[in-house]
Amino acid sequence: MAKAAKAGKNRSGAGATPAVAALSAAGVEFATHAYDHDPAHPSYGQEAAEAMGVSPDQVFKTLVTDVDGVLTVAVVPVSGSLDLKALAAAVGAKRAVMADPALAERTTGYVVGGISPLGQRKRLRTVLDESASAHATICVSAGRRGLEVELAPGALAALTSATLAPIARP
């Protein structure tokens, strides 16, 4: 794991986010990476990749969508974008649109730019882009802007009951 601020099993510490607490409770191997968030940066995910010095293909963004009326989390690499039609197809639905940001925040308990697929207030259906499986570890938001968690994609999929599908486009 790259330059970890914290690494190992069951390391949550004071001020842990619900995402970090969920990983600790599950006994999953992970590392956290903290960095100074710049509110002027145009992309939360790109900022995280730059700050950690890792490829944007290995850093994944968490997007909350509305798929046929059901809030659904899509986790895709920051180097690409979400293919809404592919997301809908992955869950056997007809239509997917981005969810209202305020609804996403209320439902997950996180703020936009810091929404984690882990430790959400209400557990949402999750689809992880299949490109994640090409990496030994990936990074996702740890539940606040300026904090990422690095873990094996299989662990993320297991903890979120995620479906793996090709939902990203370059």
Side-chain angles (χ1 to χ4, degrees):
M1 295 190 182
K3 303 177 221 159
K6 290 182 183 176
K9 291 185 179 181
N10 302 321
R11 292 189 138 213
S12 57
T17 65
V20 172
L23 287 168
S24 295
V28 171
E29 187 76 22
F30 69 96
T32 57
H33 303 276
Y35 60 91
D36 291 326
H37 166 63
D38 176 4
H41 201 288
S43 167
Y44 297 115
Q46 188 64 39
E47 177 189 29
E50 291 167 5
M52 294 185 300
V54 298
S55 168
D57 293 334
Q58 190 180 353
V59 180
F60 283 65
K61 55 189 168 188
T62 305
L63 304 170
V64 180
T65 63
D66 179 327
V67 181
D68 285 352
V70 177
L71 288 181
T72 301
V73 171
V75 184
V76 297
V78 302
S79 60
S81 61
L82 173 62
D83 182 333
L84 290 165
K85 287 183 181 183
L87 174 64
V91 296
K94 293 181 182 180
R95 183 171 174 264
V97 297
M98 295 305 298
D100 174 70
L103 177 61
E105 289 181 341
R106 277 194 313 275
T107 305
T108 64
Y110 296 119
V111 298
V112 170
I115 294 177
S116 178
L118 300 158
Q120 297 173 353
R121 181 177 291 149
K122 179 181 177 189
R123 189 173 178 163
L124 300 176
R125 174 174 56 185
T126 302
V127 181
L128 174 61
D129 185 66
E130 67 182 9
S131 68
S133 61
H135 305 282
T137 61
I138 60 171
C139 297
V140 296
S141 176
R144 69 175 158 83
R145 295 172 188 156
L147 185 64
E148 293 283 308
V149 64
E150 182 179 358
L151 73 165
L156 177 63
L159 289 171
T160 60
S161 301
T163 300
L164 266 68
I167 60 168
R169 62 176 174 235

